[in-house]
């Protein structure tokens, strides 16, 4: 039959391989539709590529997205904190008291805030009313995924263009390509384990 010690070594080796294969599949990316993040709080780096400019505009800061509020806190090159929620948009510069930007509850800002928070938290169903959502055809297939959002409304499509959301266990980056040719790339730091 064979040496019992060799058989035991082969059995252990096979067990380790099976365990590793199981671990690898556990690390694979779930489909974007299967992801739920209650609160998205991450450092970001943003590059804006504008027509007529040789180099992109760069900024960085922190993003917090909850059920119905988005706080976009650009910390470099300037300190500007923008809070978007159902009540509208407020903006604070250099730590000053936030000032309203927009018309309050009737402003589209509340809708946009909900959409942004939903996207960052993986609540894709909440986005159906505003966007055509194209998921990867085969889910994530264990790999990083891309979801493409195109606004239904022509005015919003003119402002936002196409939004591509990239990720694995949550959103890792967002690319926005506007009809004018201007584009943005927002990279998020990895989430804490």
């Amino acid at each position: 039959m064979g040496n019992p010690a060799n058989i035991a070594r082969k059995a252990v080796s096979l067990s380790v391989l099976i365990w590793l294969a199981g671990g690898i599949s556990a690390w694979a990316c779930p489909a974007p539709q299967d992801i739920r993040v209650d609160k998205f709080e991450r450092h970001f780096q943003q590059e804006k590529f504008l027509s007529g400019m040789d180099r992109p505009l760069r900024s960085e800061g922190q993003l917090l997205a909850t059920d119905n509020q988005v706080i976009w806190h650009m910390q470099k090159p300037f300190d500007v904190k923008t809070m978007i929620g159902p009540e509208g948009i407020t903006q604070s510069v250099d730590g000053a008291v936030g000032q309203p930007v927009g018309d309050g509850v009737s402003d589209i800002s509340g809708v946009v805030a909900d959409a942004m928070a939903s996207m960052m938290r993986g609540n894709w169903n909440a986005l159906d009313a505003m966007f055509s959502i194209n998921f990867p055809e085969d889910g994530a297939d264990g790999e990083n995924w891309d979801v493409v959002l195109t606004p239904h409304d022509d005015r919003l499509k003119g402002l936002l263009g196409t939004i591509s959301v990239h990720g694995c266990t949550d959103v890792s980056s967002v690319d926005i390509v506007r009809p004018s040719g201007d584009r943005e790339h927002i990279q998020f730091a990895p989430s804490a384990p």
Side-chain angles (χ1 to χ4, degrees):
M1 273 244 146
N3 181 340
N6 285 341
I7 293 172
R9 273 194 292 269
K10 288 179 182 176
V12 168
S13 296
L14 181 60
S15 296
V16 168
L17 285 174
I18 291 169
W19 177 78
L20 283 173
I24 289 169
S25 66
W27 293 329
C29 300
Q33 301 92 317
D34 295 336
I35 294 170
R36 293 294 177 266
V37 178
D38 293 329
K39 180 176 160 183
F40 186 95
E41 185 171 12
R42 304 256 284 289
H43 181 79
F44 69 85
Q45 292 184 332
Q46 180 178 23
E47 292 182 307
K48 289 185 179 186
F49 299 86
L50 305 174
S51 56
M53 296 189 74
D54 294 336
R55 295 185 307 186
L57 300 173
R58 291 184 170 95
S59 62
E60 65 179 272
Q62 290 291 123
L63 171 68
L64 169 64
T66 61
D67 274 343
N68 63 352
Q69 184 179 40
V70 174
I71 299 173
W72 185 269
H73 189 183
M74 179 177 65
Q75 297 163 325
K76 293 179 184 178
F78 308 104
D79 183 2
V80 179
K81 188 179 211 178
T82 305
M83 292 167 282
I84 308 167
E87 296 82 33
I89 301 174
T90 61
Q91 199 167 64
S92 167
V93 178
D94 291 330
V97 174
Q99 299 296 315
V101 179
D103 295 332
V105 177
S106 65
D107 190 60
I108 195 169
S109 63
V111 174
V112 172
D114 286 343
M116 287 180 62
S118 295
M119 179 176 66
M120 304 315 270
R121 294 175 55 246
N123 187 0
W124 305 104
N125 292 337
L127 298 168
D128 281 341
M130 288 183 61
F131 297 96
S132 168
I133 304 170
N134 293 317
F135 292 105
E137 287 185 22
D138 53 357
D141 198 26
E143 302 292 329
N144 290 345
W145 43 259
D146 296 304
V147 175
V148 178
L149 300 139
T150 307
H152 295 305
D153 181 77
D154 287 336
R155 290 176 298 152
L156 198 53
K157 193 181 297 182
L159 291 172
L160 291 177
T162 301
I163 302 168
S164 297
V165 184
H166 317 282
C168 178
T169 57
D170 59 13
V171 174
S172 60
S173 67
V174 174
D175 287 289
I176 302 168
V177 179
R178 293 186 170 78
S180 65
D182 293 346
R183 61 188 175 88
E184 293 179 44
H185 175 73
I186 306 164
Q187 184 72 44
F188 296 100
S191 58

